[in-house]
Amino acid sequence: MKPFIAFFLALPMLAQVRFVPSKKLWVLDTDRTSYVVGINEENSLQNVYWGKKLVRDDDLAPAHTAPEHASFDSRESMTNEEYPGWGGLRYNEPCVKVTLADGTRDLVLTYVSHDIRGDTLEIHTKDIRYALTVDLLYRVYAHSGIVEKRSVIRNRTGQPVVVESAQSGVWYVPAGEGYRLSYLNGRWAGETQLRREPVEPGKKVLESRRGNTSHFLNPWFALDYQGAADEEHGRVWFGAIGWSGNWKLVVEETPAQQVRVTGGLNDFDFGYLLKPGESLETPAFYGGFTDRGFGESSRIMHAFEREEILPDRARPHPRPVLYNSWEATTFDVNEAGQKQLADKAAKIGVELFVMDDGWFGQRNDDHAGLGDWTVNPQKFPNGLKGLIDYVNGLGMKFGLWVEPEMVNPNSDLYRAHPDWAMHFNDRPRSEARNQLILNMARDDVRDHIFTVLDKLVSENHIEFLKWDMNRHFGEPGWPEVAVAEQKQIWVKYVDNVYNIIDRLRAKHPGLEIESCSGGGGRVDLGILKRVDEVWTSDNTEAFDRLRIQEGFTQAYAPKVMMAWVTDVPNLNGRSTSLKYRFLVAMQGSLGIGSNLNHWMDADFALASRMVAIDKEIRATVQQGNLYRLFSPREGEFTANQYVAQDGKQTVLFAFLHSQQYLRRAPIVYLRGLDEHAVYRLKTIDDKLVGKLETASGAYLMNHGIELRLGGDFDGTLLILERVP
Ligand code: DGJ
C-alpha cells in the first residue's frame, strides 16, 4: 500500500466523550467499548448502540423513533428510549414515574442541553410542560471499560412532586430473542450462587425489599446471546448497581424482542416526596461489554473495582492476613482469652487480630447489649487498651466488631430512646435475633452513631472495624416526620450509613472497614466504595465455599472476598483437611477463624507454612487476573488460576471433590501466559504428575498439566514464576 493511501485511511484520534452535532449523537468510548445515545426527531433521547468499540462516527445513523404498525403496537418497544418517563403510550419498565401536585401522572422528557467535561457527560432533560427535570449523568472509565449511569430528578415546580419510581438507567442489548441471563442468588450461609437461565418474554425481577443488599439476590447481571458465551468466549453484556438498600433490576423482553435491563432504587413502598427545589439522585449503575466470555467480564469488574471503586484505589495494597475470634469464642470474650488466641495467631503470621461480638455492654449472648458500645468492665477490666497494646506488641494490628445500626430492647440505648428503633406508632416491633433496627434515616440517630464510633476509634488504637448488620428492615415507620415524607426512610437510611462511614474514614484515614451482614448480605459496589473487604458468608465450610466464591468472583474482586479457615466439622457436618481449608481460603483474602486453642503442633506448623505461602502469592491472587478453569458446579473438579499483572507469577489452585476409583482428574490448560516465556514450577506437595521443573507458556497452555489428586476433598497449589 502506498504511504499516501494509508494516510487517507487513517482514523482520527477521538475524544472519549464526544457529541457529533451533524447526527445529534453522543459517543462514549472506553478503551474497549462504545456506548452511543442520540436525540431523535421527537427531541427525546434514544440508545443507539452498546457493545464492542466502534472506530468511525461516520458509520453511525442518527436516532429515529419507530413507526406505528398497529394501534396496539407500542412504538416504545422498537424505540430504545434512553431514560423513559412514564407517560404517553409507554408500557415497559420506566426509568422515572411521578405524580405532580395537580394530579398529573404523565411525564415526557425531552432534551434541553448537555455538558461534556473530560470523561463525563451530563444530559439535561425536562418534561414537555412541567418544570420537572432529569439530568442524566454518565462517566466513562476508559481503562476499565466501564460506563456509569446515574440520574438526578429535580423538582423545579412550585409544588410538591411524588417520585414513584427512580431508576438509574436502562441498558439495551442488540434486539433479538434468545438471550441468557446470569445472576447471583442465595440465602444466609449460601450466598452468591451463580444461576443461568433463558430470558423469556415478560419480566424477570431481581430485587431487594429488605433495606440492604440481601443474601438472596445480588445487584449484578450478565447477558449473553443464545447461551453462546463460556468462560473464555462469547459476547457478554454485564452490569451492577452500586446501592446497599432496596434495589431493583428488571430484565425485560418486550413484545418487539428487545431485551432491556432497568435498574436503580426499588419502587416498592417508594413514593419519594420532592418539595419545590429538592432533588433525588439515583445510585450508580455500571455497565460493561466483552466478546471474550464470562471470565473476561469478571476480570473487567475486578480491575474496575481495584482501580476505581475501592478506598485504596489510589495506592492498592494486599489485604493483611486476619484472625477473627467469632467461631472460636462467640460471645465468651475476655482479655485473658483473647490474649491467648492473639499469641497463637501471631506465631503463624497473622497481621490483623479482630475481636468479634461480645466485648461491650451486657453482651453475653444475642439477647442484650446492642446499642451500648462501651467495653464490658467484667470482661475487660483494663478497657480495650490492655488487649490492644498486647496485640500491637505482638506485631499485629487490632480490629473490632461492631453492629452500629442495631439495638437490643435489653440495652441502655433502647431504654433511653425507644423511639429510635424503626417502628409504626402503636404497632408491634418485630424482633429478629432479639434485636430491632435503628432508624438510621433520622439525623439524630446518625449523629449519635457517628459520635459513638468516632469516640471508640479515637480513644483506642483500633485500625479495623468489622461492621455487621444482622437483620433486615421491619415495620419501616418514621412517625416523627410528616406522613408524606415517611417513605424516604428507604433511601435516607442508606445515605446516612454511607455518611457515617465516609465521615469516620475522613477523620481516621488509617481506619479500614469490613462490610458484613450476617455473612454476605451487604456486598455491592456502593458499600465497596467505602469498605476494604466484605465478609463473604457465615458458611465457612470449605467445599461449600467453592461455589459461593465462584459466584462471588463473577462480580466482585478476590481481594475483597474475605475467606476464613475454620474448624471442622462445620455447619453442614463435613470435614476436610486443614490444608484443603487453607487452599480454599487463600483464593481470596485469607483469614483464620479457628479455635487455635484446639490446634496441635502439626496444625500450627502447617498453618505457618500456608500463611507464609499466602504472603508470597497474595499480590497475584488479590491484584491479578483470575481465570476460572473448572467450575465446582460442573463436575468433580475445580481449578482457578491467577496471573499477576506484570505476568511474573501465576498460581493455580485445584480441588478434587470426590474420588472415583481410577478416575483421573482432567488435564489443566493454563491461561493468560506468555507462550514464549519459560516458567519455573514450584509445588507445595507431590500432586503434579511428572518432574516438570520449568515449562514454556505454550506448553502449559496447550499441552497442559496433569495433577494426581486423590481421596475426597483433596487440593493442591502450584506457583509458577516467570524465568527472567
Ligand atoms: C454475623 C457475622 O457474619 C459473624 O461473622 C459474626 O460476626 C456474628 N454476626 C457475630 O454476632
Side-chain angles (χ1 to χ4, degrees):
M1 186 188 285
K2 288 180 187 163
F4 72 90
I5 296 178
F7 172 75
F8 281 116
L9 290 179
L11 293 161
M13 281 291 289
L14 298 168
Q16 274 157 15
V17 180
R18 57 189 182 276
F19 185 61
V20 185
S22 57
K23 302 189 177 190
K24 294 192 180 174
L25 292 176
W26 295 272
V27 182
L28 287 78
D29 278 343
T30 73
D31 291 356
R32 45 181 119 208
T33 63
S34 295
Y35 186 82
V36 185
V37 180
I39 308 170
N40 62 27
E41 68 280 8
E42 292 178 0
N43 203 31
S44 72
L45 301 179
Q46 205 173 312
N47 180 265
V48 170
Y49 178 75
W50 180 33
K52 194 162 181 170
K53 187 164 181 167
L54 304 175
V55 293
R56 212 173 75 119
D57 293 347
D58 284 353
D59 296 340
L60 293 162
H64 273 301
T65 55
E68 178 184 298
H69 293 298
S71 59
F72 301 106
D73 180 31
S74 90
R75 289 166 64 215
E76 60 163 349
S77 283
M78 308 275 282
T79 306
N80 291 346
E81 292 186 283
E82 181 64 7
Y83 195 88
W86 186 69
L89 298 174
R90 288 183 179 81
Y91 310 100
N92 294 338
E93 191 71 17
C95 279
V96 53
K97 179 177 185 313
V98 298
T99 297
L100 292 140
D102 63 4
T104 298
R105 304 189 319 281
D106 184 72
L107 183 68
V108 179
L109 296 169
T110 54
Y111 169 75
V112 176
S113 63
H114 71 271
D115 295 305
I116 294 174
R117 285 185 213 94
D119 56 5
T120 65
L121 165 66
E122 273 187 32
I123 308 180
H124 310 288
T125 68
K126 183 187 154 300
D127 177 62
I128 46 176
R129 174 158 170 242
Y130 293 88
L132 194 293
T133 66
V134 179
D135 295 334
L136 307 185
L137 314 183
Y138 298 84
R139 183 166 172 199
V140 168
Y141 297 90
H143 182 245
S144 318
I146 296 287
V147 172
E148 172 187 336
K149 298 184 183 193
R150 274 178 300 134
S151 65
V152 180
I153 303 159
R154 190 164 279 118
N155 177 9
R156 297 175 194 270
T157 73
Q159 304 286 321
V161 170
V162 178
V163 182
E164 284 147 5
S165 173
Q167 303 306 306
S168 306
V170 51
W171 300 96
Y172 295 90
V173 293
E177 292 168 304
Y179 279 89
R180 180 174 61 162
L181 170 69
S182 300
Y183 64 101
L184 301 173
N185 95 315
R187 56 191 179 275
W188 173 77
E191 298 84 338
T192 54
Q193 308 286 322
L194 176 61
R195 296 182 70 98
R196 298 214 152 107
E197 62 193 39
V199 176
E200 305 282 6
K203 294 177 185 175
K204 166 95 183 177
V205 178
L206 308 175
E207 65 171 358
S208 167
R209 296 180 174 195
R210 293 163 177 266
N212 84 349
T213 326
S214 105
H215 306 75
F216 179 49
L217 290 160
N218 190 274
W220 168 86
F221 75 90
L223 288 165
D224 70 307
Y225 190 53
Q226 295 189 330
D230 60 21
E231 278 294 300
E232 296 302 319
H233 311 96
R235 296 174 183 214
V236 180
W237 293 260
F238 54 94
I241 303 174
W243 184 244
S244 312
N246 280 5
W247 56 271
K248 180 167 150 180
L249 273 173
V250 179
V251 183
E252 182 176 15
E253 184 181 310
T254 70
Q257 297 84 47
Q258 174 63 56
V259 174
R260 61 201 295 280
V261 184
T262 315
L265 299 170
N266 199 328
D267 54 352
F268 175 77
D269 193 41
F270 196 65
Y272 196 101
L273 178 79
L274 289 182
K275 293 183 190 147
E278 286 185 345
S279 62
L280 172 63
E281 181 169 332
T282 61
F285 194 7
Y286 303 97
F289 168 82
T290 177
D291 59 1
R292 287 193 274 161
F294 297 112
E296 185 69 4
S297 74
S298 299
R299 290 186 286 277
I300 291 171
M301 287 294 283
H302 300 171
F304 172 62
E305 289 153 17
R306 291 193 307 262
E307 292 166 14
E308 307 288 357
I309 296 286
L310 292 175
D312 75 343
R313 56 191 176 267
R315 263 167 297 139
H317 52 269
R319 302 299 310 142
V321 178
L322 169 158
Y323 179 80
N324 179 291
S325 65
W326 174 245
E327 291 200 24
T329 50
T330 61
F331 302 98
D332 191 13
V333 295
N334 57 50
E335 188 171 324
Q338 294 295 299
K339 282 180 173 171
Q340 198 184 7
L341 289 171
D343 278 332
K344 293 175 180 165
K347 262 191 229 149
I348 55 176
V350 165
E351 298 159 308
L352 168 62
F353 182 88
V354 183
M355 178 162 65
D356 211 279
D357 203 344
W359 59 270
F360 52 93
Q362 294 308 307
R363 187 75 168 165
N364 298 315
D365 53 34
D366 61 15
H367 286 79
L370 289 175
D372 301 340
W373 300 107
T374 48
V375 68
N376 179 304
Q378 281 80 45
K379 297 179 182 182
F380 295 90
N382 306 310
L384 288 173
K385 189 171 167 29
L387 176 62
I388 296 177
D389 286 351
Y390 191 80
V391 166
N392 292 161
L394 290 168
M396 297 183 292
K397 292 183 174 177
F398 180 80
L400 193 65
W401 179 94
V402 288
E403 195 180 357
E405 300 151 76
M406 298 295 154
V407 64
N408 284 118
N410 184 4
S411 68
D412 293 341
L413 183 73
Y414 190 72
R415 283 183 279 274
H417 297 286
D419 53 318
W420 283 10
M422 214 175 260
H423 69 282
F424 292 111
N425 278 337
D426 302 324
R427 303 282 304 170
R429 299 179 179 203
S430 301
E431 293 176 23
R433 207 194 190 201
N434 312 303
Q435 63 200 54
L436 296 170
I437 180 165
L438 291 173
N439 182 357
M440 301 291 289
R442 288 174 59 142
D443 288 350
D444 53 352
V445 176
R446 176 198 66 193
D447 292 340
H448 168 80
I449 297 297
F450 172 78
T451 306
V452 165
L453 294 176
D454 178 39
K455 186 167 183 297
L456 199 59
V457 177
S458 301
E459 291 177 357
N460 300 286
H461 191 217
I462 294 168
E463 297 180 81
F464 176 94
L465 287 177
K466 174 176 172 182
W467 181 306
D468 206 346
M469 180 194 190
N470 281 301
R471 63 159 291 171
H472 296 133
F473 282 29
E475 295 99 14
W478 188 358
E480 296 79 12
V481 298
V483 170
E485 290 169 36
Q486 290 182 6
K487 289 182 181 171
Q488 294 186 351
I489 193 169
W490 297 107
V491 174
K492 291 206 164 163
Y493 181 104
V494 182
D495 283 344
N496 278 350
V497 169
Y498 286 170
N499 173 283
I500 296 171
I501 301 178
D502 292 345
R503 278 156 78 196
L504 266 183
R505 292 197 78 122
K507 194 162 172 203
H508 305 278
L511 182 69
E512 297 196 326
I513 300 180
E514 174 181 301
S515 163
C516 170
S517 176
R522 184 142 66 187
V523 180
D524 61 80
L525 293 177
I527 201 71
L528 281 171
K529 272 203 154 172
R530 307 173 156 85
V531 301
D532 303 272
E533 60 189 41
V534 293
W535 183 220
T536 314
S537 177
D538 274 347
N539 186 345
T540 55
E541 196 284 306
F543 178 60
D544 277 10
R545 270 292 177 118
L546 287 180
R547 281 186 183 215
I548 293 171
Q549 294 182 179
E550 182 205 33
F552 187 99
T553 63
Q554 300 295 316
Y556 304 108
K559 175 174 182 172
V560 302
M561 182 175 75
M562 271 311 298
W564 302 347
V565 173
T566 56
D567 294 331
V568 288
N570 202 312
L571 283 191
N572 54 21
R574 187 180 288 124
S575 283
T576 57
S577 72
L578 186 58
K579 176 183 155 198
Y580 180 91
R581 283 174 269 151
F582 262 101
L583 290 173
V584 171
M586 285 159 70
Q587 297 179 100
S589 176
L590 176 64
I592 294 154
S594 290
N595 189 340
L596 302 179
N597 297 325
H598 295 166
W599 276 16
M600 304 292 162
D601 287 350
D603 298 328
F604 282 105
L606 178 71
S608 303
R609 179 163 175 247
M610 298 306 272
V611 169
I613 294 172
D614 183 75
K615 289 177 183 171
E616 203 183 307
I617 62 169
R618 66 182 165 188
T620 301
V621 170
Q622 295 181 22
Q623 308 277 122
N625 288 321
L626 167 64
Y627 294 82
R628 292 178 295 253
L629 305 182
F630 288 88
S631 161
R633 287 171 301 118
E634 289 169 4
E636 291 300 334
F637 187 68
T638 296
N640 292 312
Q641 183 199 347
Y642 299 76
V643 181
Q645 290 298 331
D646 62 7
K648 287 189 181 153
Q649 188 185 64
T650 183
V651 295
L652 171 72
F653 293 90
F655 303 92
L656 181 70
H657 312 157
S658 94
Q659 173 71 64
Q660 288 156 48
Y661 186 58
L662 287 183
R663 186 156 187 227
R664 291 160 69 176
I667 301 294
V668 179
Y669 301 98
L670 298 189
R671 305 255 187 206
L673 304 180
D674 177 349
E675 290 206 336
H676 301 285
V678 174
Y679 298 83
R680 187 172 308 287
L681 279 77
K682 190 169 146 189
T683 53
I684 63 158
D685 49 31
D686 58 356
K687 307 287 179 183
L688 177 64
V689 175
K691 281 202 170 69
L692 202 58
E693 284 172 6
T694 59
S696 66
Y699 179 90
L700 293 162
M701 292 194 290
N702 304 329
H703 175 279
I705 55 172
E706 193 175 353
L707 298 168
R708 192 187 302 107
L709 295 174
D712 293 348
F713 308 115
D714 197 5
T716 191
L717 165 67
L718 280 185
I719 305 171
L720 295 90
E721 308 281 357
R722 188 180 168 137
V723 178

